[in-house]
Amino acid sequence: MAGRAAKAVPHLMTLADLSPSQINGIVSHAHYLKQISLPWLSPQQRGAKVSKLRMPSQSLFSKTIALLFSKRSTRTRLSAETSAVLLGGKALFLGKDDIQLGVNESARDTARVIGGMCQGIFARVGEHSEIEELAQHSPVPVLNALSSLWHPTQVLADLLTLHEHASSFSHLKDNTPNHGLKHLPQLPSLRPLTIAYVGDSANVLHDMLVTYPRLGHTLRVASPDDPKYRPPQPVWDRVLKLGCDTGIWWGPDPREAVRGADVVVTDTWISMGQEAEKEERVKAFQGYQVTEALCREGGANDQWKFLHCLPRKEHEVDDEVCNNLPPFHIHSPRSSQVFYGPRSLVFPESDNRKWTIMAVFDLLFGKWDLSAADSALRQKSG
């Protein structure tokens, strides 16, 4: 309409860009989309009345989302492509060998060309400056699928997983508000947790640093006492600006880090592009492997749970198979095995990449409003 100011293009680079209510709104929206989508993905019984099933949001109907990936991906790509379909749209994969970006065309021109034909850009890049340049020149929303500094969609999936397993951390009665959706299981409330991170200061941890303290959780981090294994200054500046540093303990001793931990998290010690540093890094992180012994000696809570964003290496977490146990044996929490044991929430965490990415696609690409889910929840509870 003439005279009306054009709506600013929204982008999401890190969860530091969002308020706690927006983060909670996205996680709740992801849970809602998961509940209404799962029946559509289940085998249909003969005579089932499909018309009675609620359709997921179709905000991407006839829309195309460009997956601009310069790095390998399994979970992020699968999540993006499958969730776009559920939202009525299409995800178009553009790998580094598929387009002219970085060869014969600048990021500025690429952003404008893609934005002229697609309705969103989901970019998985190397240096964070690359995605910032795309966002600066894109006429459509840009979502960070991973950069050297941040990984927001992974931490959203971790949050959804922790909420879904809230009963593991508390035996208190759940007082989660219903929000008027009586026919759907509601997202359980999550008590304040102590979350330990043992490993390198990489992009997943960086989004944890600017998120968990603002949601009432305590973060305890162990990394070697060397500046290269600590957050880059732009990340720590965001931590300080948001006041998150008061909820963070940091030191070189992994046993001290896991003291009182409800959740223990680790990530790769050797990120893509750091392969030449493998020997040096494995040596620097000796003693950092997440094991039952480490957490017992450090004083983690008896029922602690384990998260890892995958893919994982054996030196990062113990996955010893107890060969003396019968097939399909359910290990006790005292089993030496962590990655495949009952403490591990790794695969539910992996599954939830789909639902949290679906939620952000719906809100950012479909509605251009990352507050929409939070506003809807407040209206239903009012």
Side-chain angles (χ1 to χ4, degrees):
M1 181 180 295
R4 177 176 294 181
K7 185 175 182 179
V9 182
H11 306 294
L12 180 57
M13 302 288 104
T14 164
L15 296 184
D17 297 338
L18 303 179
S19 68
S21 63
Q22 287 176 315
I23 294 170
N24 285 329
I26 292 171
V27 174
S28 295
H29 190 49
H31 181 71
Y32 169 75
L33 291 173
K34 180 177 181 177
Q35 298 304 314
I36 63 173
S37 299
L38 287 175
W40 287 98
L41 302 179
S42 300
Q44 296 298 321
Q45 302 298 319
R46 181 178 297 179
K49 295 184 178 179
V50 178
S51 60
K52 289 188 175 182
L53 297 179
R54 178 177 294 193
M55 282 285 289
S57 167
Q58 295 297 288
S59 63
L60 296 189
F61 179 74
S62 295
K63 296 179 181 179
T64 303
I65 306 304
L67 309 186
L68 190 57
F69 282 28
S70 63
K71 287 194 170 187
R72 297 186 303 275
S73 170
T74 299
R75 281 147 295 280
T76 307
R77 179 176 177 179
L78 283 169
S79 299
E81 294 193 359
T82 56
S83 61
V85 171
L86 279 168
L87 292 168
K90 178 180 175 60
L92 181 64
F93 183 79
L94 303 172
K96 63 180 181 179
D97 297 324
D98 298 324
I99 58 176
Q100 298 288 351
L101 176 62
V103 181
N104 296 314
E105 197 156 25
S106 67
R108 176 175 183 170
D109 292 356
T110 299
R112 175 58 185 85
V113 169
I114 294 176
M117 302 184 196
C118 299
Q119 287 66 57
I121 299 175
F122 191 34
R124 186 175 177 91
V125 300
E127 293 302 315
H128 188 69
S129 58
E130 298 174 44
I131 197 167
E132 290 182 320
E133 186 174 7
L134 288 170
Q136 181 181 356
H137 300 291
S138 173
V140 298
V142 175
L143 172 59
N144 184 4
L146 175 145
S147 72
S148 60
L149 294 186
W150 307 105
H151 199 350
T153 59
Q154 178 61 56
V155 175
L156 288 171
D158 292 0
L159 277 167
L160 177 57
T161 306
L162 293 176
H163 273 277
E164 289 180 340
H165 292 83
S167 61
S168 300
F169 310 113
S170 176
H171 299 294
L172 299 177
K173 181 180 179 181
D174 181 31
N175 294 316
T176 305
N178 187 274
H179 296 311
L181 302 174
K182 295 181 180 179
H183 65 294
L184 294 176
Q186 297 303 294
L187 184 66
S189 297
L190 189 63
R191 70 165 173 83
L193 301 176
T194 297
I195 301 171
Y197 181 95
V198 178
D200 191 19
S201 183
N203 46 29
V204 173
L205 174 61
H206 298 164
D207 259 301
M208 292 171 62
L209 294 172
V210 296
T211 301
Y212 287 135
R214 291 191 292 149
L215 298 179
H217 307 300
T218 299
L219 195 55
R220 299 179 63 82
V221 184
S223 65
D225 195 11
D226 184 318
K228 72 183 295 182
Y229 303 121
R230 299 297 174 100
Q233 196 59 48
V235 171
W236 195 248
D237 286 345
R238 296 298 294 272
V239 171
L240 294 175
K241 184 176 180 179
L242 292 169
C244 291
D245 56 308
T246 58
I248 300 169
W249 176 92
W250 204 305
D253 186 351
R255 286 169 178 77
E256 182 68 19
V258 303
R259 180 183 297 176
D262 301 296
V263 183
V264 180
V265 187
T266 192
D267 191 2
T268 181
W269 301 344
I270 307 154
S271 297
M272 284 181 279
Q274 296 177 334
E275 289 80 4
E277 304 174 33
K278 179 178 179 179
E279 184 176 347
E280 174 191 352
R281 285 178 164 270
V282 170
K283 182 177 180 181
F285 285 97
Q286 285 183 357
Y288 280 73
Q289 185 191 47
V290 177
T291 64
E292 281 287 342
L294 170 70
C295 294
R296 183 169 59 253
E297 293 167 12
N301 284 346
D302 287 342
Q303 300 303 315
W304 65 272
K305 298 296 182 182
F306 176 73
L307 293 176
H308 192 303
C309 67
L310 300 177
R312 64 96 177 92
K313 318 290 191 306
E314 62 181 9
H315 51 249
E316 297 156 3
V317 53
D318 175 50
D319 61 358
E320 177 186 349
V321 177
C322 299
N323 293 320
N324 60 324
L325 296 176
F328 309 114
H329 178 84
I330 304 300
H331 299 351
S332 73
R334 292 297 184 184
S335 163
S336 65
Q337 188 181 48
V338 174
F339 185 82
Y340 290 116
R343 297 196 186 280
S344 178
L345 300 178
V346 167
F347 292 107
E349 174 190 14
S350 172
D351 296 342
N352 280 334
R353 293 298 306 283
K354 178 188 184 95
W355 307 112
T356 46
I357 284 176
M358 183 177 176
V360 181
F361 275 24
D362 180 34
L363 299 170
L364 184 67
F365 297 144
K367 300 181 172 72
W368 280 38
D369 186 359
L370 285 165
S371 299
D374 179 54
S375 299
L377 287 171
R378 281 190 276 107
Q379 289 172 5
K380 289 171 182 174
S381 62

